[in-house]
Amino acid sequence: MKVGIEDICFYTANYVLDMAVLADVHGIEVEKFYQGIGQVEMSMAAPDEDIVTLAAAAAKPIVENHDMSQLRTVLVATESGIDQSKSAGVYVHNLLGLPSHCRVLEMKQACYSATSALQMACSLVARQPEQKVLVIATDIARYDLNSSGEPTQGCGAVAMLVGANPKLLEIEPVSGLFCEDVMDFWRPNYRSTALVDGKYSTKVYLRSLKQAWQDYQEQGGHSADTFSYFCYHQPFTRMAQKAHTHWLKQVKKELSAEAIEQQLEPSLVYNRRIGNSYTASMYIGLASLLDNTQENLDNKRIGLFSYGSGCVAEWFAAKVQPGYREYLRTAYHQQLLESRTAIDYPTYRRLYEFPNPTDGGDHQNPHETTGPFRLSAISQHKRLYEKTSS
Ligand code: HMG
């Protein structure tokens, strides 16, 4: 029996900042952002958007197109938690009108947790092949203003329906794992922005890649030659390019620049325009790879490297299912990116600084999102969500 991804769909906020605007304000050559870190734009959430509205919007097209009666589990992966106790997934479950007989929870380990959620989903389906699991990764990446991380912000969510006999991707059972207690990036409960040791974090990322691949080999994983395409965690797209070069060196493969680009570039198309979306980042990359590869990927093996600071990393493999193209959402994804509203620097600052209430007052949010769900208010310490007419 094959277990894997039946459907994948992402969503991102409808405001977008061109990195040229940030470069101009900071007096930096825009090529440092466009080329040096490989980011052209970043999505910015409206005041009435959060990880719940992004997650529900990502999953909505999937819920509308599949029979949800066998859905038994909803797993939401995020590191932008909105509550220390209640899972963001419970709000999402309600907004989507999902079946009541469902286990719903939130998972956390920096950007890695969506991979853990996907693996858990595959295990559940392997035990009971008739059941479906909805995995949603959703995050809003925030760093301090004027910090080196500022150009690597962004936001987005991606939803995946996991089941038996998948239409898109079989997730193969062998994984290579690595964990190490490091302080490369973290966010204490009292902060709304992450703390990061940027250069160190890139070193730990690459070290973890090496270790995870080594473990994948020791666990009986496929040889390097059997992989046709690659998708790495993308805090910024240049990181994925560095990672692939690093991996090629490790497996002692020498490829032309064109061949390297062919293996990796399709996975970078969407993230270059969305920015970091933490847990969602690698899976938006996966959607990008499926949507943007010219070659028919039937039966091709994709190598995936998931990394979450702190840190936990995993190398695993997905096999593209014959006829997958019929089930892609390419036009919808592209339209989503094209229809965003470009913002200027003052608007970026207004969104960045929009207050997050901490008292129990009645805080109504302006209606700005064009998405199907909104956070209409925070009142008496309760988050109030509503469906829009979109
Ligand atoms: P920085 O220090 O400002 O940048 O920020 P830099 O000076 O290293 O320059 C970046 C690149 O631009 C360099 O290229 C420069 O040469 C080039 P490289 O040497 O790396 O190949 N450059 C130019 N290129 C063209 N024209 C120019 C120009 N000027 C310079 N004019 C840093 C970089 C990554 C430190 C920063 O963006 C940062 O702190 N980001 C946040 C941390 C991060 O993303 N780390 C990645 C690994 S950790 C991870 O992935 C986990 C994470 O997603 C969180 C989680 O798990 O939850 C972050």
Side-chain angles (χ1 to χ4, degrees), residues 183-186 195-202:
M183 296 303 279
D184 61 331
F185 166 108
W186 67 106
L195 294 163
V196 64
D197 189 341
K199 294 270 159 46
Y200 176 58
S201 72
T202 61

Side-chain angles (χ1 to χ4, degrees), residues 29 31-32 35-37 79 110-111 143 148-149 152 184-185 196 198-199 201-202 205 233 235-236 238-239 242 276 278 307-309:
E29 279 180 39
E31 286 314 314
K32 173 171 177 182
Q35 299 296 332
I37 64 165
E79 57 176 302
C111 298
Y143 293 90
S148 68
T152 66
D184 61 331
F185 166 108
V196 64
K199 294 270 159 46
S201 72
T202 61
Y205 177 120
H233 169 53
F236 49 94
R238 184 88 183 94
M239 186 74 233
K242 285 184 183 195
N276 197 356
Y278 292 157
Y307 175 78
S309 284

Side-chain angles (χ1 to χ4, degrees), residues 25-236:
V25 169
H26 291 314
I28 291 171
E29 279 180 39
V30 71
E31 286 314 314
K32 173 171 177 182
F33 294 159
Y34 283 179
Q35 299 296 332
I37 64 165
Q39 288 307 128
V40 175
E41 297 171 339
M42 66 185 183
S43 289
M44 283 295 293
D48 55 346
E49 289 178 313
D50 69 358
I51 53 156
V52 167
T53 65
L54 295 174
K60 185 172 179 271
I62 292 181
V63 170
E64 286 172 348
N65 279 286
H66 295 265
D67 173 13
M68 287 288 131
S69 61
Q70 294 305 314
L71 186 80
R72 299 284 293 166
T73 306
V74 178
L75 302 172
V76 171
T78 187
E79 57 176 302
S80 319
I82 49 162
D83 195 291
Q84 287 286 13
S85 299
K86 182 168 173 170
S87 157
V90 173
Y91 295 105
V92 175
H93 176 270
N94 178 40
L95 285 172
L96 294 170
L98 296 173
S100 307
H101 297 290
C102 206
R103 67 167 75 78
V104 180
L105 69 146
E106 186 171 309
M107 301 177 81
K108 179 175 72 182
Q109 175 25 60
C111 298
Y112 165 74
S113 63
T115 299
S116 177
L118 178 62
Q119 295 292 6
M120 183 175 163
C122 290
S123 305
L124 288 167
V125 171
R127 280 168 62 130
Q128 275 189 312
E130 66 282 2
Q131 74 162 278
K132 308 265 185 234
V133 180
L134 185 60
V135 172
I136 312 176
T138 178
D139 267 306
I140 297 175
R142 281 174 62 95
Y143 293 90
D144 285 343
L145 293 172
N146 303 315
S147 69
S148 68
E150 187 182 8
T152 66
Q153 298 176 113
C155 66
V158 60
M160 293 172 278
L161 187 65
V162 176
N165 301 315
K167 299 283 188 290
L168 294 180
L169 295 156
E170 176 190 4
I171 302 298
E172 296 182 334
V174 180
S175 277
L177 304 170
F178 181 66
C179 173
E180 185 182 12
D181 184 0
V182 286
M183 296 303 279
D184 61 331
F185 166 108
W186 67 106
R187 182 167 70 83
N189 286 343
Y190 49 82
R191 286 183 60 100
S192 63
T193 52
L195 294 163
V196 64
D197 189 341
K199 294 270 159 46
Y200 176 58
S201 72
T202 61
K203 287 197 177 80
V204 183
Y205 177 120
L206 295 178
R207 186 161 80 214
S208 304
L209 168 61
K210 189 173 179 193
Q211 292 287 336
W213 171 258
Q214 204 170 305
D215 186 51
Y216 179 76
Q217 291 300 292
E218 285 166 10
Q219 295 296 316
H222 296 284
S223 67
D225 285 334
T226 67
F227 291 90
S228 306
Y229 289 86
F230 297 84
C231 183
Y232 295 85
H233 169 53
Q234 297 170 37
F236 49 94

Side-chain angles (χ1 to χ4, degrees), residues 263-284:
Q263 291 182 335
L264 191 63
E265 173 58 26
S267 73
L268 311 181
V269 177
Y270 294 154
N271 286 282
R272 197 174 273 135
R273 302 186 59 190
I274 291 173
N276 197 356
S277 54
Y278 292 157
T279 53
S281 173
M282 192 189 76
Y283 294 95
I284 292 178

